[in-house]
Amino acid sequence: MTVLHTPVLSAEILDWLRIRPEGTYADATVGTGGHILEIAKRLTTGRVLGLDRDPRALQIARERLGPHERQVILVHVEFSKIGEVAAANQLPPFDGIIADLGISSLELDSPERGFSFRWAGPLDMRMNPDNPLTADEIVNQWPEKELADLLYQNAEERDSRRIARAIVRARPIRDTEHLATVVAGGRKARGRQRLHPATKTFLALRTAVNREEEELGQFLSRTPATLNLGGRLIVLSYHSLEDRVVKHAFQRLSHEGFRILTKKVIQPGDAEIASNPRARSAKLRVIERVATAETRFDGERTAPQVC
Ligand SMILES: C[S@@+](CC[C@H](N)C(=O)[O-])C[C@H]1O[C@@H](n2cnc3c(N)ncnc32)[C@H](O)[C@@H]1O
């Protein structure tokens, strides 16, 4: 059975996008196609570019988007390359771009992908199977100090050193279930916790394997230049470090010809969280381009940015 990801804050995203039927849009993280399908349905002569680095997700999205194939271009690529892909497809500047960060339910709920501590699966965690680095290499080969630094820096894991020590002692770690048991044993006992003891370790490994911080940084610095005047960039993030990066990038852009539209971050309401608990940590931020590259800095003329 195909696992479809339930799109988060879908109605809000469509409101912020204010889709024009003849406009040009991009979905930087197509997943199994929930958000992009709603965009495609609203287009007539307009186009929507969809990107994802997971070929399996794109395949499912492609099937779902069949009836709208004239409006949709799907590309298997990292979203940091959005500018190059838009140029290669001769698309005009975007009227709206969404990036729904993190992983899809398709990835999380496929034990053989190794993203979850709920089942025994290989230590993989690659969104893109062409990626050379796997979680296995980090877990079974990295020096203890590098492992501890990773857990602390990528997931703010307070017990990073204890966990890294436990992992190194237990090597070779066979699979995700074995890793989760070792991590739980390595952490300090703190009574009943809301999160599974291995949650942060798995987050740190996933973000490292997929170079998520670098990808997001490059996306946020390159994508604004691809927006049309009045075009909007909508980013949905799922953990505090990621949201902080988005917030700071938007603050910087607010001095460079963009306006922040979400002074207060948007989060799902109780009803959405009750029907889709995975939406609970979502945070949505939106900016709009209010000046062209030529007029951005107090009327000073600058060359249009090449992306
Ligand atoms: C939360 S899901 C998106 C779900 C989608 N909005 C939907 O409605 O089905 C995130 C998706 O982004 C993809 N992804 C994450 N980082 C990426 C990157 N740097 N480049 C391209 N795709 C990425 C993942 O493979 C995953 O399919």
Side-chain angles (χ1 to χ4, degrees):
M1 195 188 66
T2 301
V3 178
L4 289 185
H5 180 91
T6 306
V8 174
L9 287 169
S10 213
E12 290 80 354
I13 287 175
L14 291 170
D15 281 350
W16 285 110
L17 278 176
R18 298 178 309 179
I19 296 172
R20 290 186 302 109
E22 68 287 6
T24 308
Y25 298 87
D27 182 344
T29 52
V30 165
T32 53
H35 287 128
I36 194 173
L37 181 60
E38 293 307 316
I39 299 174
K41 278 182 193 168
R42 288 163 174 77
L43 299 176
T44 52
T45 53
R47 310 288 295 277
V48 56
L49 172 67
L51 313 177
D52 206 291
R53 59 177 163 190
D54 182 340
R56 279 203 231 170
L58 271 185
Q59 183 53 38
I60 293 169
R62 196 177 300 282
E63 284 162 23
R64 293 182 78 195
L65 287 158
H68 306 280
E69 65 183 358
R70 286 158 63 92
Q71 282 76 39
V72 179
I73 304 168
L74 293 180
V75 184
H76 175 224
V77 71
E78 258 61 41
F79 58 46
S80 56
K81 303 279 188 322
I82 187 170
E84 288 94 318
V85 177
N89 285 281
Q90 300 180 328
L91 291 173
F94 294 112
D95 298 302
I97 300 174
I98 68 166
D100 179 13
L101 304 174
I103 52 171
S104 68
S105 296
L106 174 74
E107 291 161 332
L108 194 59
D109 296 341
S110 302
E112 74 281 7
R113 308 284 300 265
F115 285 105
S116 176
F117 41 74
R118 287 177 295 150
W119 308 281
L123 289 164
D124 190 318
M125 300 197 190
R126 291 172 299 174
M127 294 178 189
N128 183 351
D130 298 338
N131 187 345
L133 181 63
T134 62
D136 193 287
E137 184 176 328
I138 302 177
V139 168
N140 282 315
Q141 293 179 32
W142 278 24
E144 185 178 320
K145 175 160 181 341
E146 280 183 42
L147 198 49
D149 289 348
L150 173 73
L151 299 183
Y152 187 73
Q153 285 159 12
N154 285 27
E156 297 180 312
E157 172 56 70
R158 282 189 288 173
D159 291 335
S160 55
R161 303 214 170 281
R162 295 170 62 105
I163 294 172
R165 199 175 319 128
I167 289 176
V168 169
R169 282 193 186 148
R171 280 174 178 168
I173 309 265
R174 294 181 307 276
D175 56 30
T176 47
E177 196 177 43
H178 184 193
L179 176 63
T181 308
V182 170
V183 171
R187 292 191 89 208
K188 255 191 193 153
R190 289 201 178 82
R192 254 177 79 82
Q193 299 278 304
R194 197 172 53 88
L195 294 178
H196 183 286
T199 302
K200 289 189 170 185
T201 298
F202 274 63
L203 173 67
L205 290 169
R206 187 202 92 201
T207 53
V209 166
N210 296 288
R211 299 176 46 255
E212 292 184 35
E213 196 186 329
E214 295 94 310
E215 267 293 306
L216 181 59
Q218 290 177 6
F219 175 78
L220 290 170
S221 65
R222 294 172 182 171
T223 301
T226 69
L227 279 171
N228 207 356
L229 195 60
R232 292 177 171 184
L233 171 60
I234 301 174
V235 183
L236 254 177
S237 61
Y238 293 87
H239 61 92
S240 54
L241 291 175
E242 203 173 57
D243 180 56
R244 214 173 297 156
V245 172
V246 178
K247 183 175 160 185
H248 290 159
F250 281 14
Q251 282 167 347
R252 217 171 33 250
L253 286 163
S254 70
H255 303 289
E256 298 173 10
F258 291 81
R259 180 166 54 132
I260 297 173
L261 300 182
T262 44
K263 294 278 181 255
K264 200 169 162 295
V265 73
I266 312 274
Q267 292 180 277
D270 294 343
E272 178 165 1
I273 295 171
S275 69
N276 178 18
R278 284 184 180 165
R280 67 184 176 280
S281 50
K283 291 193 173 151
L284 183 149
R285 296 184 186 273
V286 187
I287 50 165
E288 179 179 282
R289 185 170 203 163
V290 290
T292 59
E294 289 79 3
T295 55
R296 271 191 289 163
F297 306 102
D298 303 326
E300 181 192 329
R301 287 190 72 80
T302 57
Q305 270 179 275
V306 179
C307 44

